[in-house]
Amino acid sequence: GAGVSQSPRYKVAKRGQDVALRCDPISGHVSLFWYQQALGQGPEFLTYFQNEAQLDKSGLPSDRFFAERPEGSVSTLKIQRTQQEDSAVYLCASSSTLFDRNTIYFGEGSWLTVV
Amino acid sequence: KQEVTQIPAALSVPEGENLVLNCSFTDSAIYNLQWFRQDPGKGLTSLLLIQSSQREQTSGRLNASLDKSSGRSTLYIAASQPGDSATYLCAVGKTSGSRLTFGEGTQLTVNP
């Protein structure tokens, strides 16, 4: 596809359940970012990949959060033992090189509700 | 730690009005600043990207300015239209390829 694709678009999880959120970046994009956006707030950085290397994971809120991009394209954000405070939109973004003079493209997000 | 503040949080204007959205940041050592638009239930769309060495960028009816030393940016929207209704987010990057720090956004409503 032409844009950043995320799946599932909507996920309802019971507290304690594990979830996996997928991101398909724009083909050939080197940089991939994950952000978490709570209702009415701006996005908060979670983690960043350059190709398959996870260069910054300082925004991951706890060790229940794990992200990978094993082949430098598709990425998965995994949340173990979900809690109610994990309810948010998870946004994936990609850019063609280091985020320099190139535009960053966001997906429409995966909306997670933990009940 | 970088903090980004956007004022106002919400704005409602009649169609045709010119308007200004404000963004301020606490650490002036930024690499670039970007304005995004977010429609309800959608992702973010990049509007304008200003490098730290630039003072402004223009695209159509949009003009963004950057005063790095004072930690401020403004987004000017000329002749507003109902289709401009959305949340506008400001974000700063500290280095090339680094994370973005976002403000909380300004929710704009343009009334026909």
Side-chain angles (χ1 to χ4, degrees):
Chain A
V4 178
S5 178
Q6 293 188 244
S7 61
R9 284 295 322 277
Y10 304 95
K11 175 70 177 178
V12 178
K14 292 184 178 179
R15 191 172 57 178
Q17 186 178 356
D18 297 349
V19 299
L21 308 176
R22 176 188 169 103
C23 173
D24 278 271
I26 293 173
S27 179
H29 277 196
V30 168
S31 298
L32 185 145
F33 301 82
W34 283 98
Y35 287 85
Q36 180 191 58
Q37 186 175 24
L39 191 63
Q41 305 292 313
E44 296 274 349
F45 171 82
L46 294 176
T47 187
Y48 160 61
F49 291 85
Q50 185 179 333
N51 295 308
E52 70 278 2
Q54 189 174 20
L55 298 186
D56 187 351
K57 58 181 181 179
S58 61
L60 296 175
S62 77
D63 59 6
R64 296 186 296 103
F65 286 71
F66 171 79
E68 61 182 5
R69 193 187 186 196
E71 297 178 356
S73 55
V74 171
S75 177
T76 304
L77 176 66
K78 297 179 179 178
I79 309 174
Q80 296 177 324
R81 305 180 302 283
T82 52
Q83 305 292 320
Q84 283 192 318
E85 60 263 27
D86 299 335
S87 296
V89 180
Y90 291 86
L91 295 166
C92 177
S94 69
S95 64
S96 61
T97 63
L98 296 178
F99 181 49
D100 189 346
R101 297 182 183 274
N102 297 297
T103 301
I104 187 167
Y105 297 87
F106 279 82
E108 294 195 332
S110 289
W111 295 64
L112 174 65
T113 303
V114 181
V115 297
Chain B
K1 177 187 173 185
Q2 177 74 271
E3 292 183 2
V4 180
T5 303
Q6 291 188 245
I7 294 173
L11 181 63
S12 181
V13 301
E15 182 176 3
E17 205 166 277
N18 302 325
L19 58 99
V20 174
L21 307 181
N22 296 290
C23 171
S24 62
F25 45 94
T26 54
D27 184 352
S28 62
I30 65 169
Y31 187 79
N32 52 33
L33 182 144
Q34 194 158 2
W35 284 92
F36 293 88
R37 168 185 174 138
Q38 186 172 33
D39 293 283
K42 301 293 185 182
L44 281 65
T45 300
S46 175
L47 297 173
L48 291 164
L49 169 64
I50 310 177
Q51 301 296 332
S52 61
S53 58
Q54 298 175 319
R55 297 299 297 268
E56 65 177 344
Q57 282 286 341
T58 298
S59 176
R61 295 182 293 108
L62 304 180
N63 176 276
S65 68
L66 173 63
D67 184 342
K68 200 174 87 162
S69 61
S70 67
R72 294 180 183 179
S73 175
T74 61
L75 178 67
Y76 175 83
I77 302 177
S80 59
Q81 302 171 357
D84 295 331
S85 298
T87 296
Y88 290 82
L89 292 152
C90 164
V92 297
K94 187 171 178 66
T95 61
S96 174
S98 70
R99 66 173 74 182
L100 294 175
T101 301
F102 283 85
E104 294 192 346
T106 294
Q107 186 173 1
L108 173 65
T109 303
V110 180
N111 301 299

